[in-house]
Amino acid sequence: MEIINNTEKLQFEYTKGGEVAKLEYRFYKQKNIALVHTLVPDSMRGEGVASALAAAAFAYAKEVDKKVMVYCPFVAAYVKKNPVVREQIDRAYHPGL
């Protein structure tokens, strides 16, 4: 599954059959990346697309040395299921994740 970081739109994308799944992000105060919203078309549900988008986002955050802020409920659930990414969370904003 090829995930693309569309830096113009500030979103990670996966395209299949003309439809686009995305995880939107924003930069915050030059030190953090905020994962804002995940959208997966019904035709892609159950294929692990949202998890792949989240994994790509965390890999990118690590690559650019940014702490992660989580606003998307799916990403919050992803963090709870994948403890290895918890070290990337900005604890000042998310002490409970």
Side-chain angles (χ1 to χ4, degrees):
M1 184 176 305
E2 183 181 354
I3 306 294
I4 295 169
N5 181 2
N6 184 332
T7 56
E8 214 170 273
K9 292 185 177 181
L10 295 177
Q11 62 190 25
F12 293 92
E13 302 173 342
Y14 172 69
T15 303
K16 179 181 174 186
E19 294 188 292
V20 178
K22 62 185 179 179
L23 192 164
E24 299 170 353
Y25 65 90
R26 302 290 177 265
F27 292 105
Y28 183 72
K29 293 187 177 181
Q30 304 297 322
K31 68 175 192 157
N32 289 349
I33 184 169
L35 304 181
V36 181
H37 180 67
T38 304
L39 177 65
V40 177
D42 289 339
S43 65
M44 295 182 206
R45 299 218 177 202
E47 297 179 18
V49 174
S51 292
L53 291 167
F58 276 95
Y60 176 71
K62 184 175 263 189
E63 177 185 318
V64 296
D65 196 30
K66 303 273 185 205
K67 287 291 187 182
V68 177
M69 299 169 69
V70 178
Y71 293 98
C72 172
F74 175 82
V75 175
Y78 176 86
V79 169
K80 289 178 181 175
K81 291 178 185 175
N82 296 278
V84 70
V85 299
R86 287 185 187 156
E87 68 188 34
Q88 292 179 254
I89 301 297
D90 189 326
R91 295 287 174 215
Y93 295 95
H94 305 290
L97 270 182

